Amino acid sequence: MIGIGATLFKRAFIGSRFSPASLFSNGEEGGWYDPSDLSTLFEEDGTTPASVDGPVGKILDKSGNGNHLLQTTETKCPTLRLAGGLYYLEFDGVDDGLRSADIDFTGTNTMSVFSGARKEADEVAVVAELSNTFGSNDGSFRLASISGNVWRYSSKGSTGVNANATGFTPPVTSVLTGLSDITNDVATIRVDGVEKASPTADQGTGPFGTYPLNLGARNNGSLLQLDGRVYGLIVRGALSNADEISSAEKYIGFKTGVPI
């Protein structure tokens, strides 16, 4: 019991000590979204505070960049849930999705994406996607579930590359990390703090583009809808170093209930 208590204390300490705000301290573009911070959650009108078991139509960006995620149609809003002391957005797999206004990532060829997510079905579905259609837009990324029990991170300059993590049979909850460097052909996916794939195929030329950020579905809930949960999301227009990756993964793990 001492060992278990020490582990829980360590997780709580890490979860409270590290702030993702530090990832944006040098002016990095991106966004940080935290469903456990109820002060940042609103219904579809954008002003009524969201409540547990109710719709979330606006989630404020905590990075300081102002890249808030929105959904103005109530039936397309994910639902805020609380279970086991953990808050998350529940996406129905039908039409739920949130989307930002265009975010200008043209100042970078690199990207770091961190999320806690759960998929209930073996499906092709978006966790997070920069642009409304990854395959049609240069300078974009997609973090997704893929049929065949796969988590996938896709990175694209003028050419797209897929990094696949296999063997994740739903229902499964995971801490997901995607890392990109278009210039140096980095496209890495990590799951629960472990690197799973890092193909080095040519990604062509950058930079990343100016596109909306989609959460839980493609193109504002219209395609590839996630049947599952999102416990948090951090998107940073920079390639994070080893210490930053470790801290962010432990933080997301704390929010997701997955020990890292």
Side-chain angles (χ1 to χ4, degrees), residues 21 39 72 79 83 116 123 130-131 137 151-152 191 211 219 226-227 251 255:
S39 70
T72 58
T79 302
E123 60 181 357
L130 181 65
S131 84
N137 293 297
W151 288 118
R152 173 179 288 177
V191 181
Y211 303 114
N219 194 12
L226 177 68
D227 178 7
Y251 177 88
K255 296 291 185 177

Side-chain angles (χ1 to χ4, degrees), residues 10-120:
K10 182 178 180 182
R11 285 180 55 209
F13 179 73
I14 290 169
S16 61
R17 182 169 181 262
F18 172 77
S19 172
S22 64
L23 299 175
F24 303 93
S25 60
N26 292 317
E28 291 89 344
E29 186 58 273
W32 165 28
Y33 310 97
D34 179 8
S36 73
D37 184 350
L38 271 61
S39 70
T40 68
L41 306 180
F42 300 88
E43 295 185 5
E44 73 281 355
D45 62 9
T47 58
T48 303
S51 57
V52 173
D53 298 328
V56 175
K58 183 177 184 179
I59 179 166
L60 300 181
D61 170 18
K62 297 178 66 173
S63 75
N65 287 304
N67 296 317
H68 312 313
L69 300 177
L70 306 172
Q71 177 52 258
T72 58
T73 302
E74 182 180 357
T75 57
K76 298 176 69 175
C77 292
T79 302
L80 178 64
R81 301 292 191 194
L82 172 62
L86 301 171
Y87 290 90
Y88 59 88
L89 300 178
E90 181 180 76
F91 293 83
D92 66 5
V94 178
D95 59 1
D96 290 356
L98 294 160
R99 182 173 62 175
S100 74
D102 283 354
I103 304 175
D104 184 358
F105 283 110
T106 58
T108 184
N109 288 325
T110 57
M111 194 71 64
S112 301
V113 183
F114 306 94
S115 185
R118 177 179 177 86
K119 55 179 174 178
E120 301 288 355

Side-chain angles (χ1 to χ4, degrees), residues 89-187:
L89 300 178
E90 181 180 76
F91 293 83
D92 66 5
V94 178
D95 59 1
D96 290 356
L98 294 160
R99 182 173 62 175
S100 74
D102 283 354
I103 304 175
D104 184 358
F105 283 110
T106 58
T108 184
N109 288 325
T110 57
M111 194 71 64
S112 301
V113 183
F114 306 94
S115 185
R118 177 179 177 86
K119 55 179 174 178
E120 301 288 355
D122 186 26
E123 60 181 357
V124 180
V126 165
V127 175
E129 184 170 26
L130 181 65
S131 84
N132 289 329
T133 308
F134 165 82
S136 302
N137 293 297
D138 293 350
S140 58
F141 71 77
R142 184 179 67 164
L143 185 64
S145 163
I146 302 296
S147 299
N149 306 320
V150 173
W151 288 118
R152 173 179 288 177
Y153 179 69
S154 302
S155 179
K156 185 179 183 183
S158 52
T159 301
V161 175
N162 298 320
N164 293 327
T166 61
F168 293 91
T169 304
V172 61
T173 303
S174 303
V175 174
L176 306 174
T177 301
L179 303 169
S180 296
D181 185 336
I182 295 171
T183 302
N184 294 301
D185 298 323
V186 173

